[in-house]
Amino acid sequence: MKQKILIVEDEFIVANDLRIMLEKADYKVCGIAPSVVKALELIATKEPDWILLDIFLQGDKTGIDLAGQLTEMGIPFIYISANTNQGILEAAKATLPYGFLVKPFREKDLMVMLDIARYRHEQNLKYNQHAEPSLHKQIEYIVEKQEPISERLKQISAVLHPVVPFDFLWITKSNPRTTTKDTNIVRSADGGFSMLNNETLLKEINVSNRDFKVWNATALVHNTKPIFNGYDFRRLRMENLWIQTLSDHYKLESALVTEIERNGEQFQFVFFNRLSDLYTKVHTGVINQFKKSLELVLDQVIYGKDIAVEIPVQTSPAVTKPIVKRENPEIQKDFNGIIGNSNLLHAAFKKLELVAPDDTSVLILGESGTGKEKIAQTIHKLSPRKNKPLVTVNCAALPLTLIESELFGHEKGAFTGANEKRIGKFEQADGGSIFLDEIGELPLEAQVKLLRVLQEKEIERLGGNYTKKINVRIITATNRSLEKEVAEGRFRLDLYYRLNVFPIELPALRQRKEDIPALVAYFISKYGKKSSSTVTGIAAEALHELQAYDWPGNIRELEHLIERTMLLTEGETITKIDLPNPASSAGFSGDDHFKIKTMEEMEREHILNILKMCKGKIFGTGGAAEILNIPSTTLNSKIKKLGIKFEFVK
């Protein structure tokens, strides 16, 4: 039976081209919808199996808004969009699509994407992975932590920021109006977050309590308008003295407003940014989809009971009662050698146990130092292939000229210096598993070969004239955003979705600080046995310092710090920790609020400035294309890709 596909695309020419491609490949196109409203009508009457979904559509709603409803209906979807800047990609990723096609694309790309998406959908049904969007799950884990409100809000901010970027977040009760529980979260130049109560905030911006009460007597009046960019934001400043004061001090230029109702009371979340034209309908779509997460933040964090710090800072050195002892290793709990009992880590363990007995490809995502290789070893250890080899390859360390030879082997005489036959890593792993670490570093030429191995289950040695069937399970890992690599042409889209069948995300150490005591105990025991150190424990005050630090280098950084500290400690207890200094912002004063911009942000800002100077004119003499010295077609593509809309230029 033909699969029915609904195309949700507001450009008729693009939609019609898609229809022709799909019908040629024996799919049934059951309709074309230019808006979310029309799409919902067609879904109700036509009952499609799949939906191809553009992000920017006619009307107030975007594809992001529709994505949330599709997930609830259980209808799989693939994004098709020309907007591939990092913010758009992160927002789209949060809705858990089965694929993302970047316009313009070839017919072959579409067919490969649909093939991969069907396979991923079958696997997700098998493992029941799409029960709930991962961003909500992350926030759910954080709000349940036994940590102070300020610490949990910092972690929630770090989760929210990629999909709704902000430099200042103001959370307040708007009806009935009260500012006693106002929450103010500031993003610093180094990317960290800090929470300020009203008293601290007023002191920082030098405003009196009397002025604050007068200026902030009413909530932000937005008349259901969620986005304030450019002129709209400047008008908002004139109408609201409190917004004016905040934006003057923190150099804020745009705002995104959403309201949450809880038990008959209204609350406002106001996201501010220093860029003047950042927020779009995509961000309102993301906020609408994750309102349940914001409700959790209100109920269990801001208006919940604060939790006392587990390890209080002591006024006198706590050297008599070390927290951990080397002679009591039984206090450690682990999962096949992985230390930790946090909810986020156990969520990863649960996924690991589900997928390990199968042959499904696994993509391990996480920052450097989070233990991705340990997870790969555990997957192999728990699989039916455990008695066969696990071959590890660091893709970042492979010399460019020898990648193909290293992975697939070569015959004698295949190239100068090939004096004997070489068995490649895939052939060595036959019957077992291969772990490709830092897969994002693999060059495009090698990605083509890897895709063939995944699809055909066979390899061909360099210089060889025959192929050999292999039986290998592929486990990959990366600390990069592969979506961004795809958008920028450095990673193949079809390979990404072939590898991303079953992703396992490892939390950063700053997201699971409750595991630090167990990790410290483990490292003290480990290095106590290896060295002549007499250290057997750590004082409460020193452990509290470790839990207050954000660990950009994650577990690897913690391990090296404990090893170094043990060597420098005299006696049995660590009482002092020499933590690294946070990323220096020397040269930038606190008042400058310096923000390092990506190349994409700089390009977007420059194009916007030129468009404003040309009053929106793109073509012809005095147009933006002429000034930028690029073809007008190229400029149009960039404008679309960077999400620049006409209202930003006015």
Side-chain angles (χ1 to χ4, degrees):
M1 183 178 175
K2 291 182 181 180
Q3 284 201 308
K4 292 188 291 183
I5 296 180
L6 173 65
I7 299 170
V8 184
E9 165 64 68
D10 63 342
E11 293 184 45
F12 178 76
I13 294 174
V14 175
N16 198 48
D17 284 346
L18 277 170
R19 181 186 61 76
I20 293 167
M21 290 181 202
L22 291 166
E23 289 177 348
K24 183 179 172 185
D26 211 28
Y27 288 97
K28 181 179 179 181
V29 176
C30 61
I32 295 174
S35 66
V36 171
V37 173
K38 185 63 177 176
L40 289 171
E41 289 175 7
L42 289 172
I43 289 167
T45 56
K46 303 294 185 180
E47 298 182 348
D49 300 304
W50 281 87
I51 291 182
L52 296 182
L53 179 60
D54 195 5
I55 291 179
F56 287 103
L57 299 165
Q58 291 178 9
D60 295 332
K61 301 287 185 181
T62 68
I64 302 284
D65 291 289
L66 181 58
Q69 298 178 64
L70 296 178
T71 301
E72 290 176 8
M73 296 177 196
I75 303 174
F77 60 94
I78 295 172
Y79 283 118
I80 45 169
S81 180
N83 296 279
T84 56
N85 65 57
Q86 186 63 9
I88 299 289
L89 282 168
E90 290 289 352
K93 180 184 174 185
T95 63
L96 303 180
Y98 284 96
F100 195 112
L101 269 174
V102 180
K103 299 176 190 174
F105 48 81
R106 299 169 302 170
E107 185 175 343
K108 180 183 175 184
D109 295 331
L110 176 62
M111 296 309 125
V112 169
M113 177 57 65
L114 282 167
D115 181 45
I116 294 168
R118 280 201 310 273
Y119 176 68
R120 293 185 70 227
H121 184 48
E122 289 166 7
Q123 296 299 310
N124 283 332
L125 289 175
K126 178 178 178 181
Y127 296 118
N128 194 28
Q129 273 189 269
H130 271 203
E132 199 169 28
S134 60
L135 185 142
H136 179 76
K137 286 185 177 179
Q138 288 182 59
I139 291 178
E140 196 175 52
Y141 294 142
I142 295 168
V143 299
E144 292 174 356
K145 283 186 175 184
Q146 296 299 300
E147 292 183 4
I149 285 175
S150 58
E151 185 58 38
R152 284 181 287 164
L153 281 173
K154 282 167 61 179
Q155 294 176 35
I156 289 166
S157 298
V159 170
L160 276 175
H161 186 267
V163 293
V164 188
F166 65 90
D167 295 305
F168 190 96
L169 172 58
W170 176 34
I171 306 170
T172 186
K173 185 187 284 189
S174 55
N175 187 22
R177 180 65 178 143
T178 174
T179 60
T180 53
K181 278 274 191 175
D182 271 14
T183 299
N184 309 286
I185 301 169
V186 184
R187 185 170 186 257
S188 58
D190 63 1
F193 296 92
S194 57
M195 188 184 117
L196 305 177
N197 58 28
N198 283 340
E199 185 182 349
T200 309
L201 178 63
L202 293 179
K203 191 178 292 184
E204 180 173 315
I205 64 179
N206 197 25
V207 171
S208 68
N209 266 305
R210 188 176 68 177
D211 285 342
F212 172 71
K213 287 176 182 176
V214 174
W215 296 346
N216 205 6
T218 58
L220 189 151
V221 179
H222 60 101
N223 298 321
T224 70
K225 181 183 176 70
I227 297 170
F228 294 86
N229 286 324
Y231 170 76
D232 289 330
F233 187 76
R234 291 192 293 274
R235 185 174 173 182
L236 182 68
R237 277 170 43 88
M238 289 188 285
E239 294 171 352
N240 189 308
L241 279 171
W242 179 237
I243 300 294
Q244 186 179 123
T245 306
L246 281 178
S247 58
D248 282 345
H249 184 78
Y250 290 107
K251 307 293 188 290
L252 306 172
E253 298 284 349
S254 57
L256 175 69
V257 186
T258 190
E259 289 200 326
I260 308 287
E261 183 179 340
R262 305 302 293 150
N263 303 318
E265 297 178 331
Q266 293 283 343
F267 299 87
Q268 286 183 344
F269 283 71
V270 188
F271 299 84
F272 294 95
N273 203 284
R274 294 186 184 117
L275 295 176
S276 63
D277 51 11
L278 179 86
Y279 295 117
T280 68
K281 291 190 295 184
V282 168
H283 297 108
T284 59
V286 171
I287 288 291
N288 290 335
Q289 186 162 344
F290 293 104
K291 276 195 173 181
K292 186 179 175 183
S293 302
L294 301 184
E295 290 172 3
L296 270 178
V297 173
L298 283 172
D299 294 345
Q300 297 190 40
V301 183
I302 295 173
Y303 287 86
K305 186 179 179 182
D306 203 355
I307 298 166
V309 183
E310 291 181 12
I311 305 167
V313 179
Q314 302 183 15
T315 53
S316 57
V319 295
T320 55
K321 294 182 180 179
I323 301 301
V324 291
K325 285 277 190 180
R326 189 195 310 169
E327 57 265 31
N328 292 327
E330 67 274 10
I331 68 168
Q332 307 306 328
K333 296 179 181 179
D334 63 61
F335 180 86
N336 288 282
I338 303 168
I339 306 294
N341 287 296
S342 63
N343 285 334
L344 276 177
L345 195 60
H346 274 278
F349 292 162
K350 185 178 178 182
K351 294 179 81 171
L352 188 154
E353 288 178 301
L354 273 174
V355 76
D358 209 338
D359 266 349
T360 303
S361 298
V362 178
L363 175 63
I364 306 168
L365 303 165
E367 296 177 8
S368 293
T370 49
K372 296 188 290 291
E373 186 170 356
K374 194 75 174 174
I375 291 290
Q377 291 167 353
T378 304
I379 291 170
H380 179 73
K381 182 181 175 183
L382 297 179
S383 76
R385 299 171 179 263
K386 62 184 177 183
N387 296 323
K388 296 290 185 177
L390 168 66
V391 176
T392 299
V393 180
N394 184 348
C395 297
L398 289 175
L400 190 62
T401 54
L402 296 177
I403 286 176
E404 197 172 338
S405 173
E406 286 284 330
L407 293 178
F408 310 115
H410 64 251
E411 298 289 351
K412 183 178 179 180
F415 52 86
T416 304
N419 298 320
E420 57 184 19
K421 182 171 74 174
R422 179 188 181 91
I423 304 298
K425 299 293 186 184
F426 273 89
E427 208 168 337
Q428 292 172 32
D430 196 14
S433 308
I434 188 166
F435 174 48
L436 301 174
D437 198 7
E438 304 300 348
I439 189 69
E441 306 288 342
L442 205 63
L444 284 165
E445 297 84 356
Q447 291 174 30
V448 176
K449 299 274 187 178
L450 178 57
L451 185 63
R452 179 190 168 109
V453 173
L454 282 164
Q455 290 173 334
E456 309 297 334
K457 307 292 184 187
E458 63 184 24
I459 60 161
E460 183 177 347
R461 292 192 198 127
L462 198 63
N465 52 15
Y466 68 94
T467 59
K468 179 181 178 180
K469 287 287 182 183
I470 55 163
N471 176 18
V472 175
R473 183 188 197 167
I474 295 183
I475 305 168
T476 53
T478 184
N479 61 2
R480 289 191 176 200
S481 167
L482 289 186
E483 294 88 353
K484 184 177 181 182
E485 297 298 299
V486 168
E488 295 179 358
R490 292 191 294 267
F491 203 86
R492 288 184 63 95
L493 189 71
D494 45 7
L495 177 59
Y496 166 64
Y497 280 107
R498 185 71 75 179
L499 295 174
N500 195 36
V501 173
F502 197 98
I504 296 178
E505 293 188 40
L506 289 185
L509 186 55
R510 64 181 170 277
Q511 295 174 293
R512 57 182 190 102
K513 290 184 178 180
E514 61 268 41
D515 289 336
I516 287 177
L519 287 163
V520 170
Y522 173 77
F523 293 136
I524 287 176
S525 177
K526 175 182 175 179
Y527 290 108
K529 292 171 184 175
K530 284 185 177 181
S531 67
S532 58
S533 173
T534 58
V535 172
T536 59
I538 183 169
E541 190 174 34
L543 191 55
H544 177 71
E545 282 185 61
L546 294 178
Q547 289 185 299
Y549 181 60
D550 273 345
W551 301 105
N554 293 294
I555 299 166
R556 187 183 295 127
E557 184 184 7
L558 174 63
E559 180 176 3
H560 293 164
L561 181 66
I562 294 298
E563 182 183 13
R564 184 169 67 249
T565 303
M566 286 176 68
L567 293 172
L568 298 173
T569 298
E570 296 179 3
E572 297 183 351
T573 305
I574 296 173
T575 58
K576 184 182 177 185
I577 297 288
D578 186 17
L579 286 166
N581 292 324
S584 173
S585 56
F588 309 111
S589 69
D591 292 334
D592 289 336
H593 295 289
F594 179 80
K595 178 183 181 292
I596 297 173
K597 295 178 181 177
T598 64
M599 291 297 291
E600 190 175 81
E601 287 172 335
M602 292 173 70
E603 182 180 36
R604 187 173 191 271
E605 187 175 306
H606 183 55
I607 290 175
L608 261 171
N609 289 335
I610 298 298
L611 284 170
K612 287 174 182 175
M613 186 177 77
C614 300
K615 297 182 179 174
K617 183 179 180 182
I618 296 174
F619 307 92
T621 306
E626 182 184 68
I627 293 171
L628 290 166
N629 196 26
I630 58 174
S632 56
T633 51
T634 302
L635 179 56
N636 263 323
S637 296
K638 285 181 179 289
I639 287 170
K640 202 161 190 180
K641 179 180 177 182
L642 295 167
I644 297 172
K645 295 290 181 182
F646 178 69
E647 57 262 31
F648 299 159
V649 184
K650 291 188 289 186

